[in-house]
Amino acid sequence: MDPMKTRYWARAVVNWVTLSTPLGLLIAGLGRAVVTRKPDGLYLAENCRLMLPDAGAFTVGNVIITGRKLRDLYGTDVLAHEAAHASQWAILGPAFLPVYLAMTAWSLRRTGDRAARNYLERWAGLARGGYVEPQLP
């Protein structure tokens, strides 16, 4: 089997088993999003009316949720950025959300920016996610 397909398959299985993907699909459903499945096991939920964080897109398990049309995301690296968050969900499991929130709080306290010192955002690629790469001391 192709190593990349194995990685996608493993990510998808772990995110289902830890219930993060079902949670993402529930959020998408509550927001009446239009959900499509990609070949890499990710689900894309567009036009979600329930956009919780202040972001163009956010990921829960293998579900990338946006309040916009998908074509607005395809022209950028946002999908690659959000796919990295899906992998982070698989690695951290249910701990992802508290770890992410703690790193966001740390980053805000240190820099006034929610992503500048947030390791999970930096690992996903700040520029790919539409963040400005900060000049850190």
Side-chain angles (χ1 to χ4, degrees):
M1 182 182 255
D2 178 356
M4 197 57 105
K5 287 182 182 177
T6 301
R7 194 166 99 192
Y8 293 151
W9 180 83
R11 177 179 67 191
V13 168
V14 169
N15 281 337
W16 271 99
V17 169
T18 61
L19 302 179
S20 54
T21 294
L23 175 61
L25 291 171
L26 176 65
I27 292 167
L30 290 172
R32 292 189 251 157
V34 177
V35 178
T36 56
R37 188 166 184 260
K38 292 184 59 176
D40 60 3
L42 294 174
Y43 294 88
L44 303 176
E46 67 177 344
N47 293 327
C48 185
R49 297 179 188 165
L50 182 66
M51 290 301 290
L52 301 174
D54 181 26
F58 66 99
T59 301
V60 180
N62 265 30
V63 185
I64 299 170
I65 304 167
T66 181
R68 298 181 279 172
K69 297 269 189 203
L70 294 177
R71 68 176 176 263
D72 296 340
L73 298 177
Y74 278 130
T76 67
D77 288 332
V78 172
L79 288 177
H81 176 89
E82 296 301 329
H85 286 315
S87 296
Q88 293 167 356
W89 273 95
I91 292 166
L92 294 172
F96 175 86
L97 193 55
V99 168
Y100 183 87
L101 292 173
M103 288 185 176
T104 299
W106 171 254
S107 182
L108 278 168
R109 181 181 168 119
R110 295 278 310 215
T111 68
D113 181 88
R114 68 181 186 199
R117 293 267 188 194
N118 182 329
Y119 177 74
L120 295 175
E121 287 295 350
R122 295 183 68 77
W123 180 44
L126 291 177
R128 291 189 319 178
Y131 297 104
V132 175
E133 186 74 44
Q135 296 297 331
L136 299 176

